[in-house]
Amino acid sequence: MTAARVRTRPELRRQRRRRAHGCWNHLLAAPLWPKHGVNLGTLLRTCDAVGACLVVPRKPWVPDALDHGNTLRTPQCVHWVDGRVDRWLQRQRAGGSAIVGVELTDESIRLADLPTARKRTVMVLGHEADGIPPEGLEYLDLAVEIPMVGTGHSLNVAVAGSLVLYKLAGLI
């Protein structure tokens, strides 16, 4: 077997987009009940990788969390939710968006069975300890779960959101 050749940083830079993508408004990652700021920066990097936008509630600590957790050099697409997130979800659904929650419910489908987003899709992530609250669950068109064989109850919210974003974007 031949050794794998690792691409150099200049080679990778030539293959990547030279500027940040603008708002394509097709795939939105919405951690609407965030607990840890570091997860927001991680999700923002994933959004950049798959061409999605991040949707966050306007809380005093969120801008700082995005600044500290984001290692990208260019501005990214971030939408801000003012007021109640359940009303924001209601408006998204009324506007024709699909609302996909990452949550363990009796009706959840496995990540492997999640289809690629074919219309504007909002991926909703809940609080790391409590998940998506009841006022958010009622707006979901679909819930997706990530199967696990270990002893943990769930993945880190940024990791789970990243996996689902890649699947919705059709990149895996």
Side-chain angles (χ1 to χ4, degrees):
M1 182 192 281
T2 61
R5 186 180 86 72
V6 177
R7 287 182 271 177
T8 65
R9 284 192 180 276
E11 287 173 323
L12 289 173
R13 267 195 293 276
R14 283 192 297 273
Q15 291 176 340
R16 300 292 189 256
R17 184 179 299 276
R18 295 194 192 285
R19 306 185 316 268
H21 65 81
C23 180
W24 294 343
N25 205 25
H26 173 68
L27 186 56
L28 295 94
L32 298 174
W33 301 271
K35 180 178 179 182
H36 301 296
V38 69
N39 289 323
L40 298 179
T42 300
L43 278 168
L44 191 57
R45 289 181 65 189
T46 302
C47 287
D48 174 71
V50 303
C53 297
L54 186 67
V55 179
V56 290
R58 196 173 296 277
K59 294 184 180 285
W61 59 272
V62 170
D64 190 49
L66 290 173
D67 286 343
H68 282 50
N70 180 14
T71 61
L72 299 168
R73 293 187 175 111
T74 57
Q76 301 304 305
C77 182
V78 177
H79 298 245
W80 296 90
V81 176
D82 292 310
R84 293 179 40 187
V85 297
D86 58 330
R87 289 186 180 153
W88 182 84
L89 284 170
Q90 182 181 31
R91 287 193 305 273
Q92 302 313 302
R93 192 175 206 203
S97 295
I99 311 293
V100 175
V102 182
E103 188 63 80
L104 298 172
T105 70
D106 291 339
E107 296 84 25
S108 294
I109 66 167
R110 291 170 26 99
L111 177 61
D113 298 327
L114 181 65
T116 299
R118 297 288 181 217
K119 66 178 188 175
R120 187 175 189 270
T121 301
V122 177
M123 178 200 63
V124 177
L125 296 159
H127 186 276
E128 282 199 325
D130 305 321
I132 299 172
E135 65 268 16
L137 288 173
E138 69 181 88
Y139 294 104
L140 300 184
D141 295 309
L142 180 68
V144 61
E145 69 176 76
I146 300 168
M148 297 176 55
V149 296
T151 59
H153 295 287
S154 65
L155 293 172
N156 168 284
V157 71
V159 172
S162 296
L163 289 170
V164 174
L165 278 175
Y166 264 87
K167 185 74 168 143
L168 285 169
L171 297 174
I172 58 171

